[in-house]
Amino acid sequence: TQHTFFNESFMDELAHEAGRDPYDFRMALLKDKPRHRAVLRLAAEKAGYGGTLREGHAFGLAVQQSFETIVAEVLEVSLDEDNRPRVHKVTCAVDCGRVVNPRIAESQVHGAALWGLEGALFGEITIEEGRVAQSNFHDYRVLHLAEAPPVEVHFVPSTEAPSGLGEPGT
């Protein structure tokens, strides 16, 4: 799942270079992937992608497949007064096949999205004198509950066999 960050960041660079909207660019590349398109479309619709945002806000999006599960996420973001990214909302759409227990599935995706956000915003391990400097949560920055943005999770109805939900939401 860590490759998604790099792959999707590069996809945004390609869309920018082509002068295309990132959503439209991805949808065109996924023309032969109906499940991926359905997930990306649902996430974009539920997030209001392409709609009017407050000044200084923008959308970011990504779609990926891992453990036979397809996930798309759309984030509403801005920069704070120190020019650091701030995430205001995360909208997830998931095709994990048949959802066996909706509440547990939603919790898995919700937690994975926040865990991934924590890593993207604060994940840093430093090495001092050949050793990891951080030893526990007192000196490793984690996402605090008060900093966590709202996370919406939507499932694409599917008749496929159930698939993984641990890492895909990350």
Side-chain angles (χ1 to χ4, degrees), residues 92-105:
C92 307
V94 181
D95 183 342
C96 59
R98 288 185 308 277
V99 178
V100 176
N101 187 322
R103 286 190 171 180
I104 290 176

Side-chain angles (χ1 to χ4, degrees):
T1 55
Q2 69 272 18
H3 294 108
T4 301
F5 178 82
F6 303 109
N7 291 341
E8 289 296 289
S9 295
F10 186 59
M11 192 64 62
D12 283 335
E13 291 181 31
L14 293 171
H16 177 76
E17 190 66 28
R20 304 273 311 274
D21 174 80
Y23 172 81
D24 294 334
F25 187 76
R26 284 172 174 82
M27 289 297 274
L29 292 174
L30 295 169
K31 67 180 187 284
D32 297 326
K33 302 269 190 180
R35 291 178 69 197
H36 290 74
R37 288 174 60 91
V39 167
L40 184 55
R41 184 180 304 111
L42 180 60
E45 287 173 2
K46 294 296 186 178
Y49 185 89
T52 304
L53 289 170
R54 293 185 294 194
E55 187 174 334
H57 286 225
F59 285 118
L61 60 92
V63 61
Q64 65 97 32
Q65 179 176 350
S66 63
F67 303 96
E68 303 303 318
T69 294
I70 304 161
V71 177
E73 295 185 7
V74 177
L75 280 66
E76 181 182 341
V77 299
S78 68
L79 296 175
D80 69 13
E81 57 279 350
D82 295 321
N83 216 27
R84 291 179 304 214
R86 180 166 180 230
V87 178
H88 301 277
K89 183 180 175 186
V90 178
T91 305
C92 307
V94 181
D95 183 342
C96 59
R98 288 185 308 277
V99 178
V100 176
N101 187 322
R103 286 190 171 180
I104 290 176
E106 181 181 357
S107 294
Q108 280 285 100
V109 176
H110 188 274
L114 291 178
W115 185 51
L117 183 60
E118 175 186 296
L121 294 176
F122 309 120
E124 180 180 32
I125 299 292
T126 55
I127 307 296
E128 295 175 5
E129 298 181 16
R131 294 178 180 219
V132 172
Q134 293 75 23
S135 65
N136 210 325
F137 293 115
H138 71 281
D139 56 5
Y140 179 80
R141 178 78 162 88
V142 296
L143 184 70
H144 296 227
L145 187 57
E147 299 169 314
V151 177
E152 288 183 8
V153 180
H154 305 277
F155 292 96
V156 173
S158 179
T159 58
E160 298 290 326
S163 54
L165 273 178
E167 288 90 348
T170 306

